[in-house]
Amino acid sequence: MERQRKRGSLLIHGILWVISGLFLAPFLWMLSTSLKPLDQTMTNPPQWIPSSIHFENYWNAVSYNKDVLGYIPFVVYGVNTLALCILVVSGTVISNAVVAYAFARLRWPGRDVAFALTLATMMIPFPVLMVPLFALFRNLDWIGSFRPLWVPAFFGGAFNIFLLRQFFRTIPFELSEAAKLDGCSEWGIFTRVVLPLCKPALAVVALFSFLGTWKDFLGPLIYLMDQKSFTLSLGLQFYQSQHGGTQWNLLMAASTIMVAPIIILFFFTQKTFIKGISVTGIKG
Amino acid sequence: MGALQEDPQTSGGSELTAKRKEAFAGLAFASPWFIGFTVFLAGPLLMSMYYSFCDYSVLRKPVWVGGDNYAEIMHDEVFWQALKNTFVYAAISLPMGLVVSIAVALLLNTNVKGMAFYRTIIYLPSLVPTVALAVLWLWMFNGEYGLINETAKRFAVSPPNWLGDPLWSKPALALMSLWGVGGAVVIYLAGLQDVPQSLYEAADLDGASPWRKTWHVTLPMISPVIQFNMIMGIIGSLQVFSEPYIMFPGGAPERSTYMYTMYLFDNAFTFQKMGYASAMGWILFILIFILTMLALKGSDKRVHTGAM
């Protein structure tokens, strides 16, 4: 029995090693290519370890290297993306916390209908809204600015409302009652009693919205017009064959720079992340 | 409770004001959502329905044309091609993704050392920004010097020219999407943690093999999670846009990767046919709605509802 179990766990380790290898290989390939000289990026058979390491690829990828790449203000894209992320994350956390509080802990007429409606909106595909939203933002003269990308974040979103509501309901209602007897206002109960107890859930919402904004491609593609206001997602496209051949080593260096902050963030927030996914309570 | 000491009449009154106060606070707290729902969801949805019956470009005001857009769509070869491409892509990537994510989740739920490490590695790719992911895979799939084909050749397999062959471009996209199963895997893992241990203990007493335990205990118990992931998968894969848009400009080769949302986007922003694009949006909405309902109904009998 014991030997059988040992053999079983060895087998599982083996399979997991192979799967991990398959999941890691593209990353390692990206990293390896980002350090190669250009003429080594297309060797046959592929070389995993560059014969000489070229850290300057990273410098060339982010500096305005007019001869090699044309005008790609990578640093500007990075700053744009970060600023957008900060706006979206603050809007998402504030608005969803407030709204979820109403759905989780207050009784008001029409609440249950409104909540069902909120959940139903998750089924609306973005392509249906693409044209009317563009028309709306155009009427507001917002096209070309960042506003279409962050202002809606300040008005809540179905998934985050659902997630926070689940979490808010686990806080004992006696705490609210006690605070109310002490003369605390509803806003006071929200900010001083419930929110401090819900930091893990708020962190999850912040993390998800940061990652979503950092990754987003379609939104910036629709609303941003001027090359200088682009985000990393849009800017990275320019590394592809500007003048004939693609500089794969520089493209991979730029990709690595774009992926690195997310991987670092994930390593530091892993626990929050996993907890967050279990608080969503998706059991059906 | 303080109310007990008060005389019944005033207590009734204060209870009523308390209720009214709470209702008022509730509406106030919920108001950002009401505004957002009206301005960014319901309003645009109604406008989109109106536009779908109009000839409309950014530069001109919408002109009512009745059902013309819908009639034109029915005879639009490109529309049907894009719809077919999207369905073929979904038909390949959904089942593959479902099987792979469940299998990986089951493996990651076993009790072996170093699990946190494996879980992290499998989750990482789903964090990679779409653009970085797309250019990386362009590079991996390259027919001449891509890593995949070079590796295949070493094993004396003659690999297809993924990106240049209309037959292989969609499987390439589907294969690539497998790299992002991490998100679904994590949701399965959360579901697996909730399967009561007592069920396994009972199965052990009956001398059930690990395989039978998986088949008769684990899978039925996580069926609601499978259903959830399946529906999210349907909704997501029918809207696929960024990866093919970046990797296959114009849906190359031979429009084999021209997806529904790409054609919708081109109609709206390249050809300035916004009414037409709106009609396409509504057709997609209806298709997603029907498929979601079918997935819910069709799997209802198989889904274990005890956990709900």
Side-chain angles (χ1 to χ4, degrees):
Chain A
M1 197 68 177
E2 188 55 32
R3 186 179 296 173
Q4 213 177 357
R5 186 173 299 167
K6 241 184 198 157
R7 214 188 295 156
S9 98
L10 258 178
L11 182 71
I12 288 170
H13 269 296
I15 300 172
L16 282 173
W17 266 105
V18 174
I19 295 174
S20 302
L22 291 174
F23 274 73
L24 265 184
F27 276 123
L28 297 176
W29 188 242
M30 174 167 89
L31 199 64
S32 143
T33 307
S34 76
L35 293 168
K36 286 174 185 171
L38 183 62
D39 58 18
Q40 240 191 60
T41 56
M42 289 167 230
T43 51
N44 200 346
Q47 262 176 302
W48 279 90
I49 298 167
S51 57
S52 54
I53 307 265
H54 292 259
F55 285 114
E56 74 271 15
N57 287 346
Y58 282 82
W59 175 248
N60 288 336
V62 300
S63 61
Y64 305 162
N65 200 330
K66 282 209 168 81
D67 313 324
V68 188
L69 288 168
Y71 180 69
I72 306 178
F74 191 87
V75 179
V76 176
Y77 297 158
V79 173
N80 288 345
T81 313
L82 204 61
L84 189 64
C85 283
I86 291 169
L87 280 167
V88 172
V89 169
S90 20
T92 306
V93 171
I94 296 168
S95 64
N96 286 299
V98 171
V99 175
Y101 186 81
F103 281 118
R105 302 182 73 89
L106 297 170
R107 270 157 304 181
W108 41 279
R111 183 187 69 175
D112 297 338
V113 178
F115 187 64
L117 203 63
T118 307
L119 292 187
T121 61
M122 281 203 266
M123 244 179 48
I124 301 175
F126 181 64
V128 197
L129 301 173
M130 226 150 73
V131 168
L133 282 178
F134 185 84
L136 170 72
F137 294 131
R138 195 173 172 277
N139 286 334
L140 293 168
D141 208 13
W142 283 6
I143 299 298
S145 80
F146 285 108
R147 271 166 284 181
L149 297 170
W150 64 263
V151 173
F154 279 80
F155 294 93
F159 180 73
N160 288 319
I161 293 173
F162 170 70
L163 192 150
L164 288 176
R165 177 182 171 271
Q166 298 281 93
F167 201 91
F168 285 0
R169 286 175 75 88
T170 63
I171 309 294
F173 280 82
E174 287 81 7
L175 287 177
S176 299
E177 287 300 322
K180 209 177 274 175
L181 287 179
D182 287 343
C184 203
S185 70
E186 209 56 72
W187 182 255
I189 299 173
F190 170 61
T191 53
R192 279 190 245 156
V193 180
V194 175
L195 278 191
L197 291 170
C198 293
K199 277 183 199 149
L202 298 172
V204 170
V205 170
L207 197 60
F208 274 133
S209 70
F210 181 88
L211 293 172
T213 314
W214 188 269
K215 272 175 94 155
D216 189 22
F217 176 76
L218 184 52
L221 180 68
I222 293 175
Y223 299 122
L224 300 179
M225 302 287 150
D226 178 14
Q227 201 191 326
K228 268 182 220 129
S229 69
F230 281 2
T231 56
L232 285 174
S233 269
L234 286 183
L236 208 59
Q237 281 194 107
F238 290 123
Y239 287 84
Q240 262 178 280
S241 52
Q242 285 262 297
H243 315 289
T246 302
Q247 311 270 329
W248 285 107
N249 50 349
L250 301 193
L251 178 56
M252 289 299 136
S255 305
T256 308
I257 297 173
M258 190 180 173
V259 173
I262 287 194
I263 292 181
I264 294 167
L265 186 72
F266 179 68
F267 267 107
F268 282 110
T269 53
Q270 254 191 85
K271 271 199 188 136
T272 315
F273 214 91
I274 302 298
K275 204 185 279 170
I277 286 151
S278 46
V279 301
T280 55
I282 298 158
K283 280 182 254 169
Chain B
M1 288 270 156
L4 277 178
Q5 288 129 16
E6 289 168 35
D7 116 347
Q9 249 187 327
T10 51
S11 114
S14 77
E15 215 169 83
L16 205 71
T17 29
K19 255 191 183 168
R20 208 172 278 166
K21 247 188 187 170
E22 191 176 336
F24 180 75
L27 290 167
F29 273 80
S31 60
W33 170 248
F34 289 136
I35 299 169
F37 176 78
T38 314
V39 177
F40 299 121
L41 278 166
L45 206 59
L46 289 176
M47 286 315 284
S48 155
M49 179 168 270
Y50 168 65
Y51 291 152
S52 78
F53 294 105
C54 290
D55 182 12
Y56 175 43
S57 82
V58 172
L59 305 169
R60 280 176 284 118
K61 284 228 174 313
V63 180
W64 184 265
V65 293
D68 282 9
N69 287 325
Y70 291 96
E72 199 186 327
I73 284 174
M74 292 302 123
H75 301 288
D76 182 349
E77 256 175 61
V78 184
F79 168 85
W80 290 107
Q81 166 107 53
L83 187 67
K84 198 185 118 200
N85 285 340
T86 310
F87 270 95
V88 171
Y89 165 76
I92 305 171
S93 70
L94 272 176
M96 271 198 333
L98 207 65
V99 172
V100 170
S101 55
I102 293 175
V104 171
L106 288 173
L107 277 169
L108 288 180
N109 198 44
T110 51
N111 216 351
V112 297
K113 267 184 200 155
M115 209 32 103
F117 169 76
Y118 295 127
R119 286 183 182 174
T120 306
I121 287 181
I122 283 157
Y123 192 72
L124 273 182
S126 34
L127 298 172
V128 175
T130 319
V131 185
L133 183 135
V135 292
L136 176 61
W137 281 92
L138 264 181
W139 183 215
M140 303 272 297
F141 277 127
N142 191 293
E144 283 171 61
Y145 39 77
L147 184 65
I148 293 180
N149 285 6
E150 286 309 319
T151 312
K153 276 179 205 154
R154 277 203 198 177
F155 293 98
V157 182
S158 62
N161 179 13
W162 301 91
L163 306 173
D165 187 339
L167 199 65
W168 286 98
S169 52
K170 282 188 280 277
L173 277 172
L175 208 61
M176 199 181 115
S177 72
L178 283 186
W179 205 47
V181 295
V185 168
V186 175
I187 295 173
Y188 281 124
L189 278 174
L192 286 168
Q193 315 271 302
D194 287 332
V195 180
Q197 277 302 308
S198 58
L199 290 178
Y200 292 114
E201 282 154 20
D204 277 335
L205 285 179
D206 291 341
S209 65
W211 178 250
R212 285 182 67 88
K213 274 191 275 186
T214 305
W215 198 250
H216 293 288
V217 179
T218 314
L219 290 181
M221 286 306 288
I222 62 163
S223 50
V225 189
I226 299 177
Q227 189 186 39
F228 173 85
N229 274 340
M230 206 169 79
I231 289 169
M232 296 318 271
I234 292 172
I235 295 177
S237 62
L238 292 183
Q239 293 183 57
V240 61
F241 175 82
S242 303
E243 292 88 346
Y245 179 88
I246 297 162
M247 291 174 71
F248 300 99
E254 292 166 35
R255 235 191 242 143
S256 62
T257 56
Y258 201 45
M259 297 296 173
Y260 197 95
T261 307
M262 284 163 80
Y263 188 43
L264 196 158
F265 179 91
D266 277 341
N267 270 307
F269 302 110
T270 313
F271 315 140
Q272 295 292 325
K273 288 168 75 176
M274 292 197 148
Y276 199 78
S278 299
M280 278 188 71
W282 271 92
I283 292 172
L284 181 68
F285 191 8
I286 291 163
L287 284 175
I288 285 178
F289 184 80
I290 293 171
L291 286 172
T292 307
M293 288 303 137
L294 283 177
L296 276 172
K297 281 259 153 36
S299 53
D300 254 0
K301 277 181 215 139
R302 293 159 199 270
V303 168
H304 171 84
T305 45
M308 287 173 108

